[in-house]
Amino acid sequence: MSAWTARSPGETSEAPAEAGAADAGHPGVRVEVRVGRLHPGARLAPCTRIEPFLPPNARLWGRGYIGARCTQGASWSTMIPVTVSVFGPALVANLPLAMGSVPQPADFRIEEVDWTRNAGTPVSDPALLAGRSLGRPLSAGQVLQANDLRVQQTVAAGDPVRIRVIGHGFSISASGYAVTAAGEGQSLRVRTEAGKMLVGTVRERTVEVRL
């Protein structure tokens, strides 16, 4: 098995002799690629030129395969197992957290984890916890994922709201009522006192409607 490691700039940890340092594209991210061996029973004719290719719909993420075809000297193609691991920072729970609870930065520690082993996208920035609650319970040691966070509802259907209509070079403020429920930064349908329906974005209980 062959392996390569790509590290983002600024990292100083040592890589094995067969690994080469390169820009992985994200600060603090380390990419490891492990290429497996052909099946022991495979018998391929001698080839002068081999060309790699990706199978249809293949993702270089986690375990998968890459193709290799002979383009000179013979006519064959085969699949080679490959594992792509992407290691990066993530918030890991220090203690069990209940569904619906409001997580705090102190509830987590930052660890390097393999992002490819998570079904969702790991959260690495504690600032993203602000104004959000947990959509599922977390066990101690579990990685927090982006789809675990829910924006807290700050406006309920029927609540009075301030509406701010913003156009090119002007803005108008008016009173109205929320037709649906929403949280900070989410889209919300509102009805003005005159009965007009508008859709805007919640900004601290003010609904901004941009024309």
Side-chain angles (χ1 to χ4, degrees), residues 156-173:
D159 281 356
V161 293
R162 194 70 180 165
I163 303 170
R164 187 183 181 203
V165 181
I166 302 173
H168 184 65
F170 73 92
S171 67
I172 302 174
S173 294

Side-chain angles (χ1 to χ4, degrees), residues 3 6 17 21 24-25 41 55 59 61 64-65 78 88 93 97 111 123 127-129 134 139 143 150 174 202 205:
R59 282 185 77 209
W61 187 263
Y65 291 87
T78 188
L97 297 169
E111 289 186 0
V123 176
L128 295 179
L129 301 176
L134 289 177
S139 303
V143 175
R150 301 287 184 270
V202 179
R205 296 193 65 82

Side-chain angles (χ1 to χ4, degrees), residues 54-170:
L54 279 179
N57 302 317
R59 282 185 77 209
L60 292 179
W61 187 263
R63 293 184 178 181
Y65 291 87
I66 58 173
R69 62 168 66 95
C70 181
T71 59
Q72 187 176 334
S75 179
W76 51 258
S77 66
T78 188
M79 305 303 293
I80 303 172
V82 62
T83 301
V84 179
S85 299
V86 181
F87 296 93
L91 297 184
V92 178
N94 288 324
L95 70 168
L97 297 169
M99 177 178 176
S101 62
V102 179
Q104 302 298 320
D107 296 333
F108 299 89
R109 62 185 182 276
I110 297 180
E111 289 186 0
E112 183 186 69
V113 302
D114 185 354
W115 291 357
T116 69
R117 295 191 177 183
N118 291 273
T121 303
V123 176
S124 59
D125 186 358
L128 295 179
L129 301 176
R132 290 171 169 80
S133 60
L134 289 177
R136 70 180 179 107
L138 289 182
S139 303
Q142 195 166 6
V143 175
L144 178 68
Q145 301 178 39
N147 56 11
D148 294 335
L149 297 175
R150 301 287 184 270
V151 175
Q152 291 180 272
Q153 179 180 304
T154 56
V155 180
D159 281 356
V161 293
R162 194 70 180 165
I163 303 170
R164 187 183 181 203
V165 181
I166 302 173
H168 184 65
F170 73 92

